[in-house]
Amino acid sequence: EREAFYDCESLTSINIPNKVTSIGDRSLFYCTSLPAITIPRSVKTIGAWVLYECKSLKSITLEGTINQWSN
C-alpha cells in the first residue's frame, strides 16, 4: 500500500508479515523514530522513497532477494 505509515513520527517498530510481497511508495516516509526494519523473504519489490527521512534508522535486514527497489 502506498503511504501506509507515511509521517508516523512516533512509530518505533514494525512487523512486516511473511505474506507481504511488495512495499509501496513512501510506505514509511518520514517515520523518524523507527530504529530498525526487517524485510521478510516474501517481499520482492520495494517502491520509491520508502525509507526517506527515517533519521533514527540504524539497521535494515533483508531476509531474501529484492527484484526491484525503486529510487
Side-chain angles (χ1 to χ4, degrees):
E1 185 69 36
R2 292 182 65 175
E3 301 180 4
F5 296 97
Y6 182 97
D7 202 19
C8 289
E9 293 181 47
S10 56
L11 183 70
T12 58
S13 68
I14 188 163
N15 180 19
I16 301 172
N18 287 328
K19 65 182 179 179
V20 173
T21 59
S22 178
I23 299 174
D25 295 344
R26 296 180 297 277
S27 295
L28 297 166
F29 187 101
Y30 212 72
C31 292
T32 57
S33 299
L34 186 65
I37 185 170
T38 297
I39 300 172
R41 185 173 310 281
S42 60
V43 174
K44 298 301 180 195
T45 61
I46 297 176
W49 302 94
V50 170
L51 299 172
Y52 184 77
E53 287 294 322
C54 293
K55 296 176 182 182
S56 296
L57 192 62
K58 303 269 190 268
S59 172
I60 300 172
T61 303
L62 296 173
E63 294 182 337
T65 302
I66 304 300
N67 295 335
Q68 180 180 355
W69 192 323
S70 300
N71 294 328

